[in-house]
Amino acid sequence: MDALRAEYLEIENGFRWPEEREDMPAHDQLHQLFTDIVTKLRERSIAENLESSLYAGRLDTLLDFLNNLFYCLNGVFPYEKSERKYHRTIWFHKPNDFIRFIKKNGDPEIDKASLLEIAATYLANPWLQHDQIDWVFIDVLIFCEASAYSQSIMSGSALGKVNWIWAWSDGDIEKYGLFHLGKGLGMFALRYIIPPVIVFILFYLNRESTALKTGIAYAIYLVLHASLWVFRYPARKLQRQTLEEHSSRLEKMLNAYYYCKPPIINLGTLRTYLNKAVEAGAIFDGALFSILKRVEESRGEAFMPFAT
């Protein structure tokens, strides 16, 4: 066994591992994961009396796996320079008001297809298992679905029509709020302020005939607008009900995501809220449930992925 261990250590020395960042040791999750997984993998492979060439293959898979996972969730490779404060943190739980699938303040979009390929690699190689990586996949897979669904509501695609204000704001929630407010104020001014002001100015300029015609036209417009409201009401009611259904489903997804928050995750509670979201029509990827089931079977109710 000592000879095999020596062979393994020599193989490990031939790989380029992420070096610990001295300026951010508290946030260097990546280096810690590499260290933990390699140590466990070495002992497991020794117990299995695994050939050195196969052990080298596992190390190569591990290196590619963590590099790809890091890149998928952060938009840069671990060895690239970055100004982000938590550059070596693979993933952290997002607050619910952050649920949107957009680039904001340097946070990258998540390539869902790539993420699922990486999850498939993780599930296909049980020796890669690590509590923190289990949690990363559970958290990010729920986050992706909730944020994508939230954006589909905001963009209007879930409602069957384009929300042009959201499109013009380019997915920026602050711009969206300003544009939405501007639209409301603009429509109010065009409908209820500008026409009376025009009539008043015409009277002031002694254009009584034109002012009278303009006033009558405006009065007719207001009557028609109020009358047509009766005919528009059923369609608007249906739209409101559809929006409420989507919002209710999103709320259940957000409730499930909330219970992914460390340090202690009650897996029974998380499963309950996930089931409620699914019953409401939410769709999550199978990889989420496969990883969650494995964690439930190995960790019971209380899951503490960052416990030392």
Side-chain angles (χ1 to χ4, degrees):
M1 291 299 179
D2 290 339
L4 188 59
R5 185 186 301 276
E7 290 181 20
Y8 285 0
L9 291 172
E10 184 178 353
I11 291 171
E12 291 171 19
N13 290 333
F15 280 82
R16 180 187 181 186
W17 306 111
E19 297 179 356
E20 184 175 11
R21 289 283 298 272
E22 296 180 357
D23 57 331
M24 54 172 65
H27 306 300
D28 200 345
Q29 181 189 20
L30 186 69
H31 179 268
Q32 178 231 320
L33 277 175
F34 265 111
T35 302
D36 287 355
I37 296 176
V38 169
T39 300
K40 292 179 181 179
L41 178 57
R42 184 191 310 126
E43 298 306 317
R44 175 172 180 156
S45 298
I46 289 174
E48 295 174 355
N49 198 27
L50 194 71
E51 292 182 10
S52 298
S53 60
L54 296 179
Y55 181 66
R58 285 184 172 182
L59 291 179
D60 192 51
T61 299
L62 168 62
L63 192 59
D64 286 344
F65 167 75
L66 281 180
N67 280 336
N68 290 337
L69 179 61
F70 189 94
Y71 181 81
C72 181
L73 301 182
N74 294 275
V76 293
F77 282 110
Y79 41 79
E80 294 178 351
K81 293 182 179 180
S82 173
E83 298 301 323
R84 293 176 61 241
K85 180 179 179 181
Y86 300 105
H87 175 55
R88 298 295 287 270
T89 299
I90 293 180
W91 180 256
F92 59 91
H93 184 81
K94 307 292 192 293
N96 276 10
D97 59 3
F98 188 85
I99 302 295
R100 55 188 188 273
F101 214 51
I102 59 175
K103 288 187 176 180
K104 182 65 176 175
N105 296 329
D107 293 299
E109 292 184 17
I110 297 172
D111 185 337
K112 183 70 175 300
S114 296
L115 179 64
L116 292 177
E117 289 181 6
I118 297 167
T121 299
Y122 184 61
L123 287 167
N125 297 281
W127 49 266
L128 282 172
Q129 190 279 329
H130 191 283
D131 283 355
Q132 289 186 32
I133 300 178
D134 283 338
W135 172 81
V136 165
F137 276 116
I138 291 171
D139 194 276
V140 76
L141 286 170
I142 296 176
F143 170 83
C144 283
E145 294 302 333
S147 57
Y149 190 56
S150 175
Q151 183 173 336
S152 73
I153 295 173
M154 296 299 295
S155 68
S157 61
L159 308 175
K161 64 177 184 179
V162 177
N163 183 348
W164 291 108
I165 298 179
W166 181 255
W168 292 333
S169 66
D170 196 28
D172 188 303
I173 197 68
E174 286 82 8
K175 288 183 181 178
Y176 177 77
L178 290 174
F179 287 170
H180 194 73
L181 176 63
K183 177 190 174 184
L185 293 175
M187 291 301 296
F188 182 84
L190 286 172
R191 185 169 292 159
Y192 301 113
I193 297 177
I194 294 177
V197 168
I198 291 175
V199 173
F200 174 80
I201 292 174
L202 289 172
F203 270 113
Y204 181 79
L205 297 175
N206 298 319
R207 304 287 296 273
E208 289 86 356
S209 177
T210 304
L212 183 60
K213 291 176 182 178
T214 303
I216 292 173
Y218 177 58
I220 293 173
Y221 163 77
L222 291 178
V223 171
L224 288 175
H225 181 73
S227 301
L228 290 175
W229 182 87
V230 177
F231 298 99
R232 293 194 300 265
Y233 177 75
R236 290 191 173 183
K237 181 180 179 181
L238 180 60
Q239 290 177 359
R240 185 169 61 253
Q241 289 175 342
T242 302
L243 178 59
E244 288 174 354
E245 290 175 4
H246 285 294
S247 299
S248 176
R249 185 177 299 125
L250 176 61
E251 187 64 27
K252 289 180 173 60
M253 297 172 76
L254 294 178
N255 287 341
Y257 183 67
Y258 174 81
Y259 286 100
C260 292
K261 186 177 181 180
I264 302 175
I265 300 166
N266 187 300
L267 295 176
T269 302
L270 174 58
R271 171 71 73 168
T272 297
Y273 279 94
L274 273 175
N275 290 341
K276 288 181 179 180
V278 171
E279 290 169 2
I283 300 175
F284 297 98
D285 289 288
L288 167 64
F289 296 103
S290 296
I291 295 173
L292 181 59
K293 181 180 179 182
R294 187 170 71 178
V295 175
E296 288 173 328
E297 292 174 349
S298 62
R299 294 293 180 263
E301 284 286 307
F303 179 41
M304 294 174 284
F306 296 93
T308 57

